[in-house]
Amino acid sequence: MNADTARHPFLQGLSKHRGAPPTVVVIFGASGDLTARKLIPAVYNLGHDNLLPADFHLVGYGRKAIPDDEFRALATSAIHEFSRRELNPAVWDRIAQNTTYVAGGYDEPEAFKRLAAHIAAIEKKISREVQVLFYISTPPTVFAPILKNLGASGLAAKHLGEPHHAKVIIEKPFGRNLASARELNATIRSVFEEHQVYRIDHYLGKETVQDLLVQRFGNAIFEPLWNRNFIDHVQITVAEEVGVGTRGGYYETSGALRDMIQNHTMQLLALTAMEPPVSLSAEDVRDEKVKVLKAIQALRPGPGGDTARAQYVTGFIGGKQAPGYLDEEGISATSATETYAAIRLSINNWRWQGVPFYLRSGKRMARRVSEIAIQFKRPPGTLFSDNPLYNIAPNTLAFQIQPDEGLSLILNGKVPGLETRTQPVKMNFRYSTTFGSNTPEAYERLVLDAMVGDGTLFIRGDEAEASWKLYTPVLEAWAAAGRDGMDTYASGSWGPKSADDLMAQTKSAWRQP
Ligand code: BG6
């Protein structure tokens, strides 16, 4: 039992020890931001929970020459700065003594031979074969050379055919349109078999996203209502308070559609809208996700269509004035990159025909909140209507993905008193009050799942392509239009008017989560 389960009785029974074989995790891009913020803390916290295999080795790989000691020191400060738990020296020392660094270029075959020799030396030292988990956490420009060198050096095929075969985790962005996603998939498949590949969308590692599956398929009351007979529309919001900060250079090549909508919000949509899978196996779940993505009708960009895009202008966040996007560091004064996108999707299948799915995501919005809101149809108006005393709201089931994780259901209830007055009331389930708040970070779950070979929470190649197929025409139309049709919204607001207009076309309005 770990410290958390000992502290909180409701956590008992939740911890599940899943054993991974002896493992070497190799991080490409070892001195990068993601490594420090997410990957090293994830490894540390897995160690803290006794979820790392007894023979666990961490190898940083990067272009910069860094001595082992210095890499360990960088990792130590990353844990101090970014881990959800304080550094416990007893835990970290065990991992640190097996933490090393290999310097080399990504397009340098000789360096990959050195890496292979480094891994072979670890196997020799512990007198056991290891599975190698390659984590590609570099800019996308070097994805292809890394993959090719993993193939050429024989590392990709290490122990293939055995349960402890090599695996690869690939970070986003997974292509920037359909053609580049297909090309990347082709490069991956020329080197790895699909079952060795773990494409990350970190939203799938969030507790609340996994809870969506449990709520949908672990409860009998939702399924009969989960269709076009009872649901009016669905709203998926991923709002951020932060602006682009120091990531302007990257963001200018991306924008809200590529950065958030095409991947994170589409994953939320797929889990919300898919049919019940035959089992929770990786292939069964992903088959259903792909089916629903393929059932989405082509989007119509442009005026009167299914999309809205906008850039933030100056406004107030937490009482402080924030600069507009065009005044941020590294942003062109004539930039046509959207920092907000809203999309209306129609799923053309038996369950969802006629039920619009609205997605929105933006930077510098009123507050950081991600939620999936299922808005049910209004009750027939015969009993409680046409009277100002009756304030009847449509029932809404909202999954709060973050922060303040949980679930709420809006019902209509009677206000106490001698006259019949109604009011919407909210029933809440909160993770923090029910389970305690120290939930694992998404990357902990995902690194562990890849180590034990469970691909359920990763994206399959055809899934990534299905989503790009939908959005590539929109990206092309937006690129051709430049700044024409680009709306604005004040920093600290809930988004542009064009997004409200999009909703108004179906007589709906955005929730203020
Ligand atoms: C990343 C995007 O994928 O997700 C970032 O590149 C964004 O722009 C981040 O800020 C949001 O993740 P989270 O987990 O903080 O909601």
Side-chain angles (χ1 to χ4, degrees):
M1 196 189 298
N2 62 33
D4 294 332
T5 47
R7 201 179 61 240
H8 200 306
F10 281 172
L11 286 171
Q12 283 172 16
L14 287 184
S15 93
K16 186 167 62 157
H17 183 92
R18 297 181 301 157
T23 300
V24 176
V25 170
V26 177
I27 303 180
F28 294 108
S31 51
D33 203 44
L34 186 81
T35 303
R37 281 177 185 277
K38 301 290 180 188
L39 305 186
I40 301 279
V43 166
Y44 168 73
N45 280 292
L46 288 173
H48 189 284
D49 287 339
N50 280 325
L51 289 168
L52 293 177
D55 280 310
F56 177 82
H57 290 251
L58 181 66
V59 178
Y61 183 106
R63 278 184 283 231
K64 215 151 97 194
I66 304 176
D68 287 348
D69 279 353
E70 201 180 307
F71 183 58
R72 286 192 279 264
L74 286 172
T76 310
S77 28
I79 297 165
H80 281 305
E81 196 171 349
F82 300 114
S83 163
R84 69 186 165 94
R85 289 198 183 97
E86 299 263 307
L87 187 146
N88 173 345
V91 173
W92 176 232
D93 290 351
R94 266 203 317 271
I95 304 172
Q97 68 188 8
N98 290 339
T99 296
T100 48
Y101 185 86
V102 173
Y106 297 120
D107 50 3
E108 202 189 317
E110 281 309 309
F112 280 73
K113 283 191 195 147
R114 284 204 305 278
L115 177 62
H118 190 82
I119 295 166
I122 294 174
E123 286 186 314
K124 189 155 177 233
K125 186 170 145 205
I126 63 173
S127 307
R128 295 183 71 179
E129 291 185 340
V130 294
Q131 78 163 345
V132 191
L133 178 60
F134 298 104
Y135 199 120
I136 304 185
S137 166
T138 59
T141 43
V142 292
F143 285 3
I146 293 174
L147 288 162
K148 285 179 185 155
N149 275 317
L150 286 176
S153 61
L155 281 167
K158 198 170 169 64
H159 306 313
L160 200 56
E162 307 284 338
H164 58 295
H165 57 72
K167 303 179 171 72
V168 64
I169 299 186
I170 300 177
E171 261 298 333
K172 65 173 281 222
F174 197 81
R176 43 181 295 108
N177 52 26
L178 181 57
S180 52
R182 279 187 176 148
E183 199 181 315
L184 182 53
N185 270 335
T187 308
I188 292 170
R189 287 183 193 129
S190 68
V191 174
F192 286 98
E193 294 177 10
E194 180 68 34
H195 69 93
Q196 296 177 276
V197 183
Y198 295 78
R199 295 173 192 78
I200 280 226
D201 182 312
H202 77 279
Y203 266 59
L204 291 178
K206 291 186 191 277
E207 276 292 332
T208 37
V209 176
Q210 295 158 50
D211 185 49
L212 179 60
L213 285 179
V214 179
Q215 295 293 343
R216 273 199 69 191
F217 305 124
N219 293 302
I221 58 170
F222 295 131
E223 179 56 23
L225 307 178
W226 213 258
N227 57 52
R228 64 198 173 98
N229 298 328
F230 296 94
I231 294 176
D232 183 79
H233 71 272
V234 176
Q235 296 186 19
I236 301 180
T237 300
V238 178
E240 296 187 280
E241 214 176 286
V242 291
V244 288
T246 52
R247 296 169 75 222
Y250 153 75
Y251 202 79
E252 276 287 86
T253 65
S254 175
L257 199 76
R258 285 193 171 96
D259 190 47
M260 303 293 280
I261 297 274
Q262 182 275 338
N263 38 46
H264 305 323
T265 63
M266 287 304 279
Q267 286 300 317
L268 300 182
L269 173 134
L271 293 176
T272 307
M274 72 180 188
E275 293 300 312
V278 177
S279 79
L280 288 176
S281 78
E283 294 322 313
D284 287 342
V285 170
R286 299 190 292 187
D287 283 349
E288 294 307 333
K289 284 163 69 190
V290 171
K291 275 193 224 163
V292 80
L293 294 178
K294 285 187 174 164
I296 299 173
Q297 277 179 355
L299 292 164
R300 296 163 306 150
D306 304 311
T307 68
R309 61 183 174 132
Q311 284 176 343
Y312 59 80
V313 293
T314 184
F316 287 86
I317 299 255
K320 282 204 191 121
Q321 185 151 19
Y325 180 64
L326 298 180
D327 297 321
E328 297 270 23
E329 189 191 320
I331 306 300
S332 141
T334 55
S335 169
T337 303
E338 78 288 351
T339 61
Y340 175 103
I343 307 286
R344 179 181 44 232
L345 296 164
S346 309
I347 303 176
N348 205 1
N349 65 12
W350 193 277
R351 188 186 286 268
W352 294 118
Q353 197 180 58
V355 180
F357 279 68
Y358 287 95
L359 313 182
R360 64 175 161 169
S361 181
K363 299 236 178 249
R364 278 274 160 64
M365 292 182 64
R367 71 189 182 88
R368 175 175 182 254
V369 60
S370 296
E371 69 154 38
I372 303 167
I374 315 291
Q375 189 161 319
F376 291 89
K377 292 190 171 171
R378 286 183 169 274
T382 44
L383 296 179
F384 299 105
S385 64
D386 297 335
N387 185 327
L389 294 179
Y390 301 149
N391 172 13
I392 297 282
N395 299 125
T396 304
L397 179 64
F399 297 87
Q400 275 97 30
I401 306 297
Q402 66 187 24
D404 205 14
E405 290 83 355
L407 178 71
S408 65
L409 178 62
I410 296 177
L411 302 165
N412 295 298
K414 180 182 174 301
V415 180
L418 297 182
E419 61 188 359
T420 301
R421 209 178 248 280
T422 76
Q423 182 185 304
V425 294
K426 207 177 190 184
M427 281 172 56
N428 280 333
F429 148 59
R430 287 280 165 271
Y431 268 69
S432 52
T433 44
T434 306
F435 295 119
S437 58
N438 205 4
T439 47
E441 284 250 352
Y443 279 92
E444 294 170 40
R445 170 72 194 239
L446 295 174
V447 170
L448 178 63
D449 278 8
M451 273 196 302
V452 299
D454 182 350
T456 314
L457 299 177
F458 295 84
I459 299 175
R460 214 167 52 190
D462 53 348
E463 238 181 291
E465 289 184 20
S467 183
W468 279 122
K469 189 169 176 202
L470 199 62
Y471 287 108
T472 299
V474 177
L475 289 164
E476 285 169 358
W478 286 0
R483 289 184 55 80
D484 278 356
M486 177 72 75
D487 202 354
T488 57
Y489 60 103
S491 291
S493 72
W494 277 109
K497 179 170 176 308
S498 51
D500 296 342
D501 295 345
L502 185 67
M503 270 271 180
Q505 286 172 21
T506 56
K507 299 193 170 41
S508 312
W510 292 107
R511 276 165 52 83
Q512 294 219 343

